[in-house]
Amino acid sequence: MHKALKMATKSCVPHKFRTENSDEEVNQEVPSNASNYLGATSIQKQPTFRNSRQAPDPTWKSPRNSAVLSTPLPTLDASKEYNWQAGMTNIREKNAVMLQNPLMADVHFTVGCGKNKQHIPAHRYVLATGSSVFYAMFYGGLADQNDEVCLPDVEPIAFHNLLKYLYCDEIQLSADNVIPTLYVAKKYIVPHLARACVQFLETSLSARNACMLLCQGRLFEEQELMQQCWEVIDAQAEESLASDGFVDIDFSTMESVLLRETLNAKEVSVFNAVCKWAEAECRRRDMEPSMENKRSVLGEAFYLIRIPSMSLDDFANGPAQSGMLTAQETTNIFLYFTANNKPELPFKRKGRSGLMPFKCHRFQSSAYRSNQWRYRGRCDSIQFAVDRRVFIAGFGFYGSSNGAMQYQVKVELKKEGTLLGQAITSFFSDGSSNTFPVLFDNPIQIEPDVFYTASAVLDGPELSYFGQEGMSEMQCGKVTFQFQCSSDSTNGTGVQGGQIPEIIFYC
């Protein structure tokens, strides 16, 4: 594949490649350093949900045939072994012997370019039965009988993966090869392999790589992958915009992020991310990252930043001193914040709406009694699992049953003992049986079918409301929650009653 497709490159940039047996140049925006952002998937013990869709098993074997070759079949010189077929029990084993074997090969591919170039033998019949593109190439009305095909735009590892699937019905993906494999699966219209690549990317999705995968989803026109990327970017906008992946996206994807109404981020964070992107884009174009050049690469997209929606402090300590604004722009924005007669500004003024959180309330009633609920530094804890990816914003708590009071609280979210998020803060209780939110600094992504532990240590008036008639499973919007008792709970909270009545989340 073109050198820009190699995983070591740092940006998504357009390039040109030549099609098979043709001098026609085709513009193609190619993937970037995906392996820097994709994490390994793991198999977790899954809770059982009633009436809910189970998440796909992320083992990345071929869903069409769960049995894969556990060890590679031995190579052989079939030209000297006239009865090599006798020891094979099925067609898949026989095809595996022919994989990249010159015996009976009637087409040869030169894949990649430069030092990465490889020569690979193949068999027209096998390729044509697995791909309509290969069928048209070899047996269609305009079929070319040339047995040499040059593919400079395809990574050798991706072509190996394609052949392994076509010959052996086997799919082996990793962070290093999934995007070039998706490219070649799309190029030769092998939808099942393409779908497996997309599923791999979806299970690897996080705030760290969501912007980069959005870029690839747009490139390959994968609507479902794009939707899941937007869910992560919206809910974890602060982290997504601050990630290394954001600076590597193309201009069109960056502009689509700026147009997004539902980003859960401060506008000053959007401004800072765009400045970093502009600096990186200047370097990609071999330009000095001056203010003029950064404004030049951003063009009119710069005005999509909603600077007038910032607080005065955020503007004064950020954009006003960044060097990205002209002196006149800075003056006009200060006047917009402070003057009665406000100047016209080219920036969008209305703040982003963000996402509305959901609240899963796990108790059917609440109560208080003279001898409950006491804290004294003890831990209230509950375990929960969901049937789809969500983002935990925080938890709701009951407050004092003896009038308005202030509570100090430390909340934690853990997965199998590993701390994912923590907040140490306070909340004010007005003496009612309402719940009071305590939020993390940034929402925390949790995966389906895995139990997580929510814990809290409260310090304040000992007597408070507490939940009763708790439910072990409940539906909240499109999400099914399942609850179970936690061994970390030392203050009496469990499934049936206690504290932590609400899970606050985005989805």
Side-chain angles (χ1 to χ4, degrees):
M1 183 178 287
H2 188 280
K3 63 181 180 180
L5 223 175
K6 295 182 180 179
M7 296 299 101
T9 59
K10 294 298 291 179
S11 64
C12 296
V13 293
H15 85 300
K16 295 182 178 180
F17 64 83
R18 297 187 183 274
T19 57
E20 299 92 345
N21 306 314
S22 171
D23 292 330
E24 177 187 2
E25 287 188 338
V26 180
N27 286 320
Q28 174 68 48
E29 190 177 87
V30 297
S32 64
N33 49 336
S35 61
N36 291 344
Y37 307 112
L38 299 178
T41 58
S42 60
I43 304 173
Q44 303 287 345
K45 183 177 180 180
Q46 297 183 350
T48 301
F49 288 92
R50 296 192 301 271
N51 302 320
S52 62
R53 178 174 62 85
Q54 295 293 334
D57 179 11
T59 54
W60 307 114
K61 299 175 182 178
S62 170
R64 291 171 55 185
N65 189 338
S66 59
V68 298
L69 300 177
S70 57
T71 56
L73 288 172
T75 59
L76 54 85
D77 185 353
S79 63
K80 298 179 181 179
E81 185 68 54
Y82 297 104
N83 198 28
W84 59 271
Q85 302 93 334
M88 307 297 172
T89 60
N90 57 61
I91 190 66
R92 191 163 170 273
E93 290 184 357
K94 297 170 187 176
N95 274 354
V97 172
M98 303 308 295
L99 176 62
Q100 300 183 49
N101 192 329
L103 178 67
M104 296 187 287
D106 53 1
V107 64
H108 294 78
F109 292 89
T110 301
V111 183
C113 58
K115 295 181 180 180
N116 199 34
K117 185 183 296 184
Q118 293 187 17
H119 301 280
I120 301 173
H123 306 81
R124 294 172 185 256
Y125 168 76
V126 177
L127 301 185
T129 57
S131 162
S132 60
V133 176
F134 282 129
Y135 177 83
M137 286 173 58
F138 302 138
Y139 301 105
L142 299 176
D144 191 340
Q145 298 305 313
N146 187 359
D147 65 355
E148 295 287 341
V149 180
C150 185
L151 304 178
D153 60 302
V154 175
E155 284 279 1
I157 183 61
F159 198 71
H160 290 315
N161 279 351
L162 175 67
L163 294 182
K164 184 171 291 186
Y165 174 71
L166 295 178
Y167 278 77
C168 305
D169 212 19
E170 183 175 345
I171 300 175
Q172 292 182 340
L173 299 174
S174 69
D176 291 326
N177 66 42
V178 60
I179 288 180
T181 300
L182 176 58
Y183 172 78
V184 76
K186 288 281 190 175
K187 178 181 176 74
Y188 291 105
I189 312 181
V190 185
H192 185 75
L193 178 59
R195 182 58 197 151
C197 293
V198 172
Q199 288 177 336
F200 184 95
L201 293 174
E202 289 172 351
T203 59
S204 306
L205 184 58
S206 68
R208 187 169 62 94
N209 62 24
C211 292
M212 187 275 295
L213 292 185
L214 175 65
C215 181
Q216 306 309 324
R218 288 164 56 90
L219 169 63
F220 295 118
E221 299 181 342
E222 286 291 341
Q223 297 299 320
E224 186 174 344
L225 176 60
M226 290 170 59
Q227 177 59 36
Q228 295 203 34
C229 289
W230 279 125
E231 290 177 2
V232 174
I233 293 169
D234 281 342
Q236 298 181 296
E238 293 277 352
E239 296 171 88
S240 297
L241 294 172
S243 68
D244 292 338
F246 180 80
V247 302
D248 288 333
I249 62 179
D250 62 273
F251 177 84
S252 179
T253 303
M254 186 274 297
E255 189 176 39
S256 70
V257 173
L258 294 185
L259 287 167
R260 195 76 174 170
E261 287 287 336
T262 45
L263 292 179
N264 269 354
K266 291 183 176 181
E267 203 63 26
V268 69
S269 300
V270 177
F271 177 87
N272 292 335
V274 170
C275 291
K276 290 180 180 179
W277 183 92
E279 181 175 345
E281 182 68 8
C282 286
R283 299 191 188 284
R284 286 191 286 267
R285 300 187 189 186
D286 295 324
M287 299 166 60
E288 180 69 23
S290 62
M291 186 272 281
E292 292 79 10
N293 286 339
K294 287 190 284 187
R295 289 290 294 268
S296 175
V297 299
L298 287 169
E300 293 297 309
F302 184 69
Y303 299 114
L304 297 176
I305 306 172
R306 306 182 184 194
I307 292 179
S309 71
M310 297 179 185
S311 69
L312 179 57
D313 284 346
D314 281 346
F315 172 72
N317 293 303
Q321 301 183 51
S322 67
M324 284 292 288
L325 298 166
T326 65
Q328 187 60 56
E329 286 173 335
T330 303
T331 299
N332 286 346
I333 295 171
F334 270 121
L335 290 174
Y336 178 85
F337 281 120
T338 58
N340 291 327
N341 186 18
K342 299 182 184 301
E344 289 294 325
L345 297 175
F347 299 93
K348 297 188 73 171
R349 301 181 183 185
K350 185 180 178 181
R352 302 176 196 273
S353 62
L355 289 177
M356 291 298 294
F358 293 88
K359 295 182 179 180
C360 175
H361 195 94
R362 66 189 188 93
F363 297 124
Q364 299 182 67
S365 65
S366 62
Y368 69 92
R369 290 191 287 271
S370 59
N371 61 343
Q372 292 178 324
W373 194 267
R374 298 179 182 274
Y375 298 112
R376 297 177 180 173
R378 293 190 292 261
C379 179
D380 288 287
S381 184
I382 191 71
Q383 287 192 320
F384 68 95
V386 291
D387 65 342
R388 58 170 291 176
R389 176 189 284 120
V390 300
F391 307 90
I392 302 300
F395 308 114
F397 293 93
Y398 290 120
S400 170
S401 58
N402 288 334
M405 298 288 180
Q406 189 87 4
Y407 282 87
Q408 300 296 316
V409 59
K410 179 176 78 171
V411 298
E412 294 181 338
L413 180 64
K414 295 180 180 179
K415 175 186 175 183
E416 297 176 346
T418 301
L419 183 65
L420 303 180
Q422 183 184 80
I424 301 175
T425 184
S426 62
F427 69 91
F428 180 78
S429 164
D430 62 8
S432 71
S433 60
N434 295 330
T435 57
F436 304 94
V438 173
L439 305 178
F440 296 108
D441 289 338
N442 293 299
I444 301 167
Q445 177 175 310
I446 67 170
E447 299 301 325
D449 307 326
V450 179
F451 275 105
Y452 293 80
T453 303
S455 300
V457 176
L458 285 88
D459 183 15
E462 292 185 349
L463 298 180
S464 80
Y465 289 90
F466 59 92
Q468 297 185 130
E469 302 177 277
M471 292 172 283
S472 61
E473 184 174 310
M474 64 176 300
Q475 188 80 17
C476 185
K478 298 179 180 179
V479 185
T480 300
F481 280 80
Q482 188 179 104
F483 296 96
Q484 69 180 25
C485 294
S486 168
S487 60
D488 292 346
S489 189
T490 58
N491 198 42
T493 289
V495 173
Q496 296 300 317
Q499 261 286 9
I500 318 180
E502 283 183 342
I503 311 290
I504 306 170
F505 67 99
Y506 301 106
C507 66

